[in-house]
């Protein structure tokens, strides 16, 4: 492990580990479950979570590793996770989550408190947004947590077992 900022993000790994542990337990029927008719299915929520990691770290900040994920062109528009007409299976989702997590781990190990203020530009139409490494890491922690909460809610609505991230992995 490096001397980076990993200790500052303690707990994020646990959220990811619970997601990784839970995916193989879901069959295609469970992956298709939604909170409502306009909601995204579980598989799309997981794919979006993984794709956002690659978009921000590789696409915006230029970090290496996108080619090791299902999202080799993170700036190329809608990723495969955003195509609701092409459902993904548990194996594909597991690859997406694990490969995108390796990029996060590499950044957390390599980035230091002194480098968290470094910025990158993000173009949104005619607008240019400036984001710091710190703001993007915070965004991704919150994004992962938000969508992990959605997954728990959908699973609970449909009586599919789901463990909270603070519970022991079994």
């Amino acid at each position: 492990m490096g001397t980076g900022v990993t200790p500052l993000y303690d707990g994020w790994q646990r959220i990811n580990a619970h997601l990784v542990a839970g995916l193989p337990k879901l069959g295609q029927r469970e992956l298709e479950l939604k909170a409502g008719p306009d909601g995204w299915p579980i598989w799309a929520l997981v794919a979006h979570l993984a794709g956002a990691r690659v978009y921000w770290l590789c696409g915006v900040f230029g970090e290496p590793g996108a080619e090791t994920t299902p999202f080799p062109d993170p700036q190329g528009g809608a990723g495969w996770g955003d195509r609701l007409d092409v459902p993904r299976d548990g194996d594909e989702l597991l690859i997406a989550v694990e490969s995108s997590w390796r990029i996060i781990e590499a950044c957390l190990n390599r980035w230091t408190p002194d480098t968290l203020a470094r910025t990158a530009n993000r173009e949104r139409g005619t607008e240019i947004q400036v984001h710091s490494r710190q703001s993007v890491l915070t965004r991704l922690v919150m994004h992962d947590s938000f969508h992990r909460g959605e997954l728990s809610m959908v699973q609970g609505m449909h009586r599919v077992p789901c463990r909270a991230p603070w519970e022991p992995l079994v």
Side-chain angles (χ1 to χ4, degrees), residues 12 106 109 131 145 147 156:
W12 192 4
N109 284 329
H131 297 275
S145 298
H147 288 303

Side-chain angles (χ1 to χ4, degrees), residues 5 20 22-23 28 30 32 38 41 47 56 59 62 66 70 78 98 102 104 112-113 127-130 139 145 166:
V5 296
V20 166
L23 278 173
Q28 201 60 39
E30 288 89 4
E32 294 288 339
D38 295 328
W56 281 100
E98 290 180 326
R102 284 191 295 273
I104 290 172
T112 67
E127 177 187 6
I128 296 194
Q129 301 173 341
V130 179
R139 176 186 291 253
S145 298
W166 50 84

Side-chain angles (χ1 to χ4, degrees), residues 84-138:
L84 295 177
D85 60 327
V86 183
R88 301 299 171 171
D89 65 32
D91 291 338
E92 290 175 296
L93 295 171
L94 194 57
I95 289 168
V97 170
E98 290 180 326
S99 62
S100 63
W101 182 255
R102 284 191 295 273
I103 295 167
I104 290 172
E105 276 186 320
C107 290
L108 293 177
N109 284 329
R110 194 172 54 258
W111 293 358
T112 67
D114 292 340
T115 66
L116 289 179
R118 289 188 187 165
T119 61
N121 293 339
R122 175 186 184 212
E123 294 183 31
R124 300 278 293 173
T126 60
E127 177 187 6
I128 296 194
Q129 301 173 341
V130 179
H131 297 275
S132 69
R133 285 178 168 181
Q134 174 70 51
S135 72
V136 166
L137 289 175
T138 299

